Structures are given as structure tokens and as C-alpha cells.
Amino acid sequence: MDPSRSLADEAGTITVPPMDEHNRELVENVHPPAWVNPQPSGRYHLVAIGAGTAGLVSSAASAGLGARAALIEKHLMGGDCLNVGCVPSKCLIRASRAVADARDGAAFGVSINGDVDVDFPAIMERMRRIRSRISHHDSASRFRDLGVDVYLGAARFTGPRTIEVDGRTIRFNKAVITTGARAARLPIQGLEEAGYLTNETVFSLTELPARLAVIGGGPIGCELAQAFRRFGAKVTLFQDKPHILEREDGDAAEIVQRRFVEEGIELALEARIDRVVAESGARTIHYTVGGRQKRVEVDEILVGAGRAPNVDGLGLDEAGVNYDKYGVSVDDNLRTSNRRIFAAGDICMRWKFTHAADFAARIVIQNALFPFLPKKRLSALTMPWCTYTDPEVAHVGMYEHDAAERGIAIDTIVKPLAEVDRALADGEEDGFVKIHVRKGKGHIVGATIVARHAGEMISELTLAMVNKIKLGKISNVIHPYPTQAEAIRAAADLYNKGRVTPMVRKVFGWWFGMTR
């Protein structure tokens, strides 16, 4: 692994390389060196182990409702999202879009004399500055002020209703495991010895690697591969499937893959990495594609494939909590095999998104603290998500193959962005809005949007699904002109137009003939 990951020294002080003023502020907020843990007394109504999104939401909300709440974190509060996920990655993606816009300016009549100067250290410094500003929201002092007892240290269950942290025994009525997941280790010969980056270490870089290999064609790998290519790195993306983003709509993945090729990302698809050899300061990746052996020399390797649950050292056996290699086992109410212990977020869910952890924590709050209320179910959530490539791919609900597997007959309506005026004006016509509805019913069961800001657009369709608003009704919603979101209303118009059957046209023809 790369040595630039955040570390604790012999005194237990957390450092986040490079320890400039921004990372010092980050650490002071989310793992302050001088923090003094409270002395536990009595029994907590809810204890959250892990201060990522699910832990933060569950502890703050329960304290706000008047419960005695505790939150335990051994590393950095804010979890992956703040420190090594959503926040830093989106800072880099925004910078990479600025680079792409500058280079593509000629298409809009805006010419730049000479090369676009990409200052990678400045890009990373901006990321650290913004991350440190946002870190106040997840700080230990803020949660203490919200009424949460914050403990910094490693937590371990010592029984079905007790936890030990920093030599203290914490008793609880209910607990929630929110320890998340980490980058998985890949069984590739020589990879560990050669060293590699993950999402936990890549944001500590201060120099742009000239040649970067990215292993994994999922969201993390694709987002960072495109960003680093735009910064000027020569990027090779390895994927063991026939195309990138294999879990997404095939038409959507094809658009992103085509864009990657246009931008100069080298795609090694259906590739098997045989071994990695470190020599002379570089790494040589030996791989096989279509039976042919190939090799590529790079300066850094970024592993963006696979996640492993953080279950080690928690004392789950002592607590009577079942788990496996996929994480903690929960039912639809997010309760574990110990009826007093729940779990939420990446540690137990297939939806590994910040917003999914947020809403899972809300389920835990009701089910754990208010047993007299109806139980909330994870399966009842309508979960949208977005991959922040350029263009973005946003999705909610079922894909076509999901509907087929469940025996649900659907109609699919597609509105290409090439037919949307604002997309043409923006030079962003390579995308679409695709909506699936129950055949003959009009209820939306799924949708995919490919657009530069698809993540900002998908919520309109999610709102319709949650509130059981039929697609035809969206046709009556006035959208400002010109916007790319008009594509959603236009898709609704197409759906309504398709409902005008030959019989209806015949009746209309008779009526208009009578009124001439």
C-alpha cells in the first residue's frame, strides 16, 4: 500500500499527508489530538460505532429527539465521504471539467493561445482547503454541542449490551454498527510489493503521475480515470468485463466509454492482470486480453475495484452479531441477529452511497428507539444514484432487465438530448432521458439519465416514483425554457402521444368532422 495514507503515530495522533494548514484544520475538527473522551455513566439509548454518514445521522438525530446518544470513531469523523470519497473526488472532478472546458473552448469560438496550464499541486491544495471547510459540519466539537457523547478510539463489543473504548465500558440499550467499508485487496501477484493507491490514499498526492493505471471500470475507477486523464496523465483503465460501468444501462455505458476513448484513455477490456513487477521506480503490469499477453509500464496504480466491510476487531462474536465476507447480516428493518443491535451503511448494504447511509440511519432511529411505531423497511426506499463522469449517468429504480426478470411488462420512452434545444446550445447533446413505465399503467418503475448534470435531474423522476405520480402527469409540469431538464417533460409528452390509439384518432376525426 502507499505510505501516504492517513496514519497514527506512536502517541496515537492522526496525521493526513501532506500536513499543511488545511489538513491540520481537518484533523483538528474530525480527530482533535487534545480530545478528552467523556466518562460514561448510565446506559445510552443508542450508541453508534463509526462516524461516517450513518453514524453521524443516527447519533445526532437521536440526541435531538432527547435520547442519550454516543458516537465512537477510531479514525476520522466524517468517514469516507468527507475524507476520501465524495468531497475530495468531486473537487477533482470539478477541476477536471474546468480543464476540459478550456481545451474545448474553440468549439464555442473561444480560443486559448498555447497549452492549457494544469497546476496539479494547486488543484490538490484547493481540494484540501474545501475539505477542511466542510469538515466543521462533521467535527467532534459540533456533535458534542448537539448533545452527543463523542468517543475517539477503537470500539469493541464485550457482550450483547456492552462496548469497550479507550479503557471505558459503555452500556447501551440499542447500538448501531456503522463502520463502513474499505478498498478490497486484489489477489494480483506482485501488487502488494509494488505498492498502489486506493481512494484512501490517492487524495494525498501532491504531484501528478505521468502514467497511471486504474484497475476497475466501476464508478470510482471511471470518475478518477477521466479526471486524471484531463489533468494530463496517460491513463490505462483495466476492466475484466466487455465494457465499463457494466452495472449501468448499456446505452449509457456506451456513451461514457466512447467519451473515454475520445479523450485518450486507453481501455483494456476483458483483461486479466497476471502480475505486477516493480523495477527502477516504475511498475510494469503484465496482462492478458483475448489470449494475447501484453504489458504496460506506469508510475502509479490506482485500485478502484471492490470493497471490503470493516468488521475486524469489533468483537461481533461476543455481541452475538452474525457477519460474513460481505459485511454484517441484517433483516429488512436493519436489525442484526442481536435484537438490540442494528447496522446501517456500507457495512451491511448493497447501496454504497452517502445518501443511502443517511436514509438507512433514519430507518434505524425509528426501529431502534420507537418500537411501538410501524417498522420502517430498507426495501421500501426508492434509491437514486449517480456516477459523476462527464457526462454523468444517473439512475433510479429498475433497468429493463430487472423488469424482465420480475415479469413486469413495461414501455420505454427515450428522449435524446440531441433533440433538446438547451443541450444543443451547451454542446452537450451526447446523452438521453430514458424512462420505464408499467405497460398500460403509466407508473414509473425506473429511469436513466445521461447528461452533464444528470445527478441534478434525476430527483424529479425519483419524486414522481415515491409519490406514485404517473409519467403522463409530468407533461403538465411547466419547465423553464431552455433547460436540459425539459427532456423529462418531453419524454412525458412522448408517452402521452403514444397513448393516442387508432381508435382514439378515429373518434377525434369524427368530432372534428362534425364541427367544421
Side-chain angles (χ1 to χ4, degrees):
M1 292 289 288
D2 189 277
S4 62
R5 66 176 300 168
S6 52
L7 300 171
D9 62 19
E10 293 181 0
T13 302
I14 297 289
T15 60
V16 180
M19 279 300 282
D20 60 2
E21 60 179 310
H22 307 304
N23 280 347
R24 285 195 295 272
E25 180 182 357
L26 171 73
V27 172
E28 186 60 40
N29 283 326
V30 297
H31 198 112
W35 186 261
V36 177
N37 286 333
Q39 287 293 339
S41 62
R43 191 181 300 275
Y44 288 102
H45 292 102
L46 184 68
V47 176
I49 302 177
T53 299
L56 294 172
V57 171
S58 58
S59 60
S62 55
L65 293 169
R68 292 196 67 219
L71 176 63
I72 307 171
E73 174 56 56
K74 71 175 182 179
H75 193 43
L76 301 176
M77 293 182 63
D80 276 12
C81 182
L82 170 68
N83 298 290
V84 295
C86 311
V87 171
S89 67
K90 300 314 166 283
C91 289
L92 265 60
I93 287 169
R94 180 61 186 90
S96 74
R97 289 188 177 189
V99 174
D101 287 343
R103 289 175 176 162
D104 297 340
F108 300 89
V110 179
S111 298
I112 296 176
N113 294 323
D115 295 332
V116 176
D117 183 22
V118 177
D119 188 341
F120 185 75
I123 289 170
M124 300 303 283
E125 190 273 340
R126 174 183 178 271
M127 177 275 292
R128 296 193 298 273
R129 183 174 68 251
I130 292 172
R131 181 173 61 183
S132 68
R133 287 177 58 188
I134 294 174
S135 69
H136 291 268
H137 301 302
D138 298 343
S139 66
S141 59
R142 176 174 180 263
F143 275 74
R144 177 193 58 201
D145 295 343
L146 290 173
V148 178
D149 281 358
V150 177
Y151 295 85
L152 298 181
R156 179 180 180 84
F157 287 102
T158 54
R161 299 184 66 177
T162 56
I163 299 168
E164 184 180 283
V165 59
D166 190 29
R168 296 164 168 83
T169 296
I170 296 174
R171 295 182 295 154
F172 62 85
N173 187 35
K174 299 289 173 61
V176 56
I177 303 167
T178 55
T179 50
R182 63 188 183 279
R185 292 191 172 189
L186 301 183
I188 298 173
Q189 179 183 339
L191 181 60
E192 292 289 334
E193 293 79 5
Y196 58 94
L197 301 166
T198 69
N199 71 295
E200 296 173 1
T201 57
V202 68
F203 301 111
S204 291
L205 289 176
T206 55
E207 295 183 6
L208 178 69
R211 302 165 299 178
L212 176 68
V214 179
I215 301 176
I220 294 174
C222 284
E223 289 176 5
L224 292 178
Q226 186 178 40
F228 275 84
R229 175 59 192 148
R230 288 177 166 186
F231 293 149
K234 181 179 179 181
V235 176
T236 303
L237 177 61
F238 290 90
Q239 169 73 327
D240 59 358
K241 302 293 191 301
H243 59 81
I244 62 173
L245 299 176
E246 76 276 3
R247 295 182 181 179
E248 290 295 345
D249 176 277
D251 296 332
E254 175 60 30
I255 289 176
V256 177
Q257 183 164 308
R258 185 166 63 244
R259 178 69 61 86
F260 277 21
V261 173
E262 292 170 354
E263 294 188 3
I265 296 174
E266 184 71 27
L267 297 178
L269 302 176
E270 295 186 277
R272 184 190 73 236
I273 299 178
D274 301 311
R275 67 186 186 279
V276 179
V277 178
E279 49 192 1
S280 303
R283 287 100 166 162
T284 301
I285 299 176
H286 298 261
Y287 64 102
T288 302
V289 174
R292 296 179 58 192
Q293 294 183 340
K294 297 185 176 184
R295 54 183 285 174
V296 62
E297 189 174 277
V298 299
D299 301 295
E300 293 284 0
I301 300 171
L302 171 62
V303 174
R307 304 289 290 169
N310 292 322
V311 295
D312 298 335
L314 291 179
L316 298 180
D317 294 326
E318 288 85 343
V321 173
N322 294 336
Y323 63 98
D324 57 25
K325 64 179 181 178
Y326 301 107
V328 172
S329 302
V330 294
D331 62 17
D332 202 20
N333 305 130
L334 293 177
R335 189 168 59 183
T336 71
S337 51
N338 181 331
R339 296 174 65 85
R340 293 185 176 275
I341 300 176
F342 293 74
D346 291 6
I347 190 65
C348 64
M349 294 159 48
R350 62 181 179 87
W351 293 322
K352 300 192 185 302
F353 315 120
T354 295
H355 51 280
D358 181 334
F359 277 78
R362 299 170 192 231
I363 292 174
V364 168
I365 293 166
Q366 178 160 319
N367 293 347
L369 300 181
F370 303 101
F372 51 86
L373 293 177
K375 292 289 187 291
K376 283 192 171 184
R377 297 178 296 110
L378 185 68
S379 61
L381 296 180
T382 300
M383 188 62 61
W385 59 82
C386 183
T387 298
Y388 297 93
T389 48
D390 189 9
E392 296 174 353
V393 178
H395 180 80
V396 64
M398 298 185 204
Y399 297 99
E400 290 172 277
H401 64 83
D402 293 325
E405 290 170 3
R406 300 181 193 183
I408 299 174
I410 61 172
D411 289 317
T412 298
I413 300 89
V414 180
K415 182 66 177 179
L417 289 190
E419 299 174 4
V420 177
D421 293 355
R422 179 58 186 270
L424 292 172
D426 290 341
E428 298 170 4
E429 61 265 33
D430 202 5
F432 58 79
V433 171
K434 179 184 290 188
I435 304 173
H436 309 301
V437 299
R438 286 185 181 270
K439 195 173 189 67
K441 302 292 184 182
H443 291 106
I444 303 170
V445 299
T448 297
I449 300 177
V450 182
R452 194 171 212 198
H453 298 288
E456 307 288 350
M457 298 167 63
I458 196 68
S459 293
E460 181 175 2
L461 294 170
T462 306
L463 176 69
M465 291 178 65
V466 169
N467 292 281
K468 296 180 171 53
I469 298 171
K470 296 182 178 181
L471 178 58
K473 293 291 185 180
I474 296 179
S475 181
N476 299 323
V477 177
I478 301 173
H479 291 64
Y481 177 88
T483 59
Q484 292 191 26
E486 273 192 296
I488 298 173
R489 194 266 308 152
D493 286 345
L494 287 173
Y495 171 73
N496 284 339
K497 183 178 179 180
R499 296 170 64 195
V500 180
T501 64
M503 177 59 72
V504 171
R505 290 192 183 92
K506 186 175 182 179
V507 172
F508 284 171
W510 171 82
W511 167 252
F512 290 128
M514 293 288 291
T515 56
R516 282 186 295 183

